[in-house]
Amino acid sequence: MLNLFFVRHGETEWNVERRLQGRLDSKLTSKGIHDARLLAKRLATTEFEAVISSPSNRAVHTAKILTENRSLSIVTDERLMEIHLGHWQGKTIDEIQTIDSKKYDCYVNHPHQYKRDDGGEDFLDVKDRLEEFLASVEEKHDSGNVLIVTHGVVVKVLQLICKNLPLNRLWDPPEIDGTSLTIVQSSQGERKLIMEGDVAHKRVSVG
């Protein structure tokens, strides 16, 4: 049995500003770092065969916090990067709604109809590269645990793949919050979600 531990990166400065990042980047906030440390404690007794991260700095920083006390090296894979949002990247949601309201409505409410013509990606593009990534990991690891640090849209697409749902169900609950944990069990070509968007580590009382 292969267990894939998918983690969304910790909260970033642009997350707080409601600014879409896509392939651009911003630093983890103090909260994002704190939450990643809480998750590291939660996973302290779990042994991992490998750690794979999106190359984005916010994901790699999160992965480094999660593996601080381990001898594992972090491998990056571009197939785990966030959806490329074209000219939306770096803009706030309010700005995007002003300049591109119809397309943003598709993005949020009709994801199966969302398309870009500026070099960005749609959700099927993300699905294609994520399925390719999953197949490559399953070919390399037939058992054990693999830690994977990635982005919100990637985890939402992962849910669709595992549940065999259409794209119009992309934004179904649960929400994928910063440092949330989603676990996929893979065995003999079948994938099963056994945890989705879990943030129990962030509810730990302090002091």
Side-chain angles (χ1 to χ4, degrees):
M1 181 76 70
L2 174 63
N3 298 302
L4 305 175
F5 287 65
F6 279 83
V7 175
R8 184 189 175 191
H9 62 80
E11 179 190 80
T12 69
E13 294 170 352
W14 282 9
N15 290 153
V16 174
E17 296 172 9
R18 299 181 78 239
R19 193 178 297 277
L20 297 191
Q21 296 175 115
R23 297 297 177 89
L24 301 183
D25 227 336
S26 67
K27 294 180 180 179
L28 296 187
T29 62
S30 57
K31 181 182 185 300
I33 293 169
H34 175 71
D35 292 344
R37 286 175 177 156
L38 290 177
L39 180 57
K41 289 180 182 178
R42 177 181 180 180
L43 297 175
T45 59
T46 304
E47 292 187 11
F48 291 106
E49 309 298 317
V51 181
I52 312 171
S53 173
S54 156
S56 294
N57 288 336
R58 60 191 185 274
V60 173
H61 189 181
T62 302
K64 285 179 178 177
I65 294 169
L66 297 178
T67 59
E68 246 172 0
N69 300 313
R70 301 175 188 261
S71 58
L72 290 165
S73 58
I74 299 168
V75 175
T76 60
D77 194 311
E78 291 192 354
R79 294 171 294 186
L80 292 172
M81 291 188 79
E82 184 57 293
I83 185 170
H84 193 308
L85 292 170
H87 70 266
W88 288 3
Q89 298 182 147
K91 292 182 172 64
T92 66
I93 290 173
D94 288 345
E95 289 170 339
I96 294 164
Q97 286 176 320
T98 299
I99 64 173
D100 223 348
S101 60
K102 288 184 179 179
K103 188 171 288 185
Y104 187 74
D105 180 66
C106 270
Y107 181 84
V108 174
N109 298 310
H110 311 285
H112 56 298
Q113 297 175 358
Y114 171 73
K115 301 291 179 185
R116 297 209 69 92
D117 55 7
D118 59 359
E121 293 179 298
D122 61 33
F123 297 113
L124 274 178
D125 294 324
V126 179
K127 186 171 182 281
D128 287 345
R129 59 179 165 88
L130 182 56
E131 285 180 328
E132 185 181 281
F133 168 80
L134 289 168
S136 67
V137 173
E138 290 163 343
E139 183 177 356
K140 188 172 183 179
H141 304 275
D142 56 3
S143 62
N145 303 315
V146 176
L147 179 62
I148 298 164
V149 184
T150 184
H151 304 269
V153 169
V154 176
V155 179
K156 294 307 293 183
V157 171
L158 173 73
Q159 291 173 310
L160 293 186
I161 291 171
C162 293
K163 295 177 181 179
N164 196 28
L165 292 175
L167 272 179
N168 64 329
R169 301 282 300 277
L170 178 71
W171 301 118
D172 283 8
E175 183 179 348
I176 302 301
D177 201 3
T179 72
S180 62
L181 181 61
T182 298
I183 303 177
V184 178
Q185 277 189 348
S186 175
S187 178
Q188 297 179 336
E190 292 191 7
R191 301 176 185 130
K192 181 181 178 183
L193 280 164
I194 61 170
M195 184 176 289
E196 296 181 71
D198 190 87
V199 290
H201 52 284
K202 297 205 282 188
R203 295 192 288 269
V204 175
S205 59
V206 179

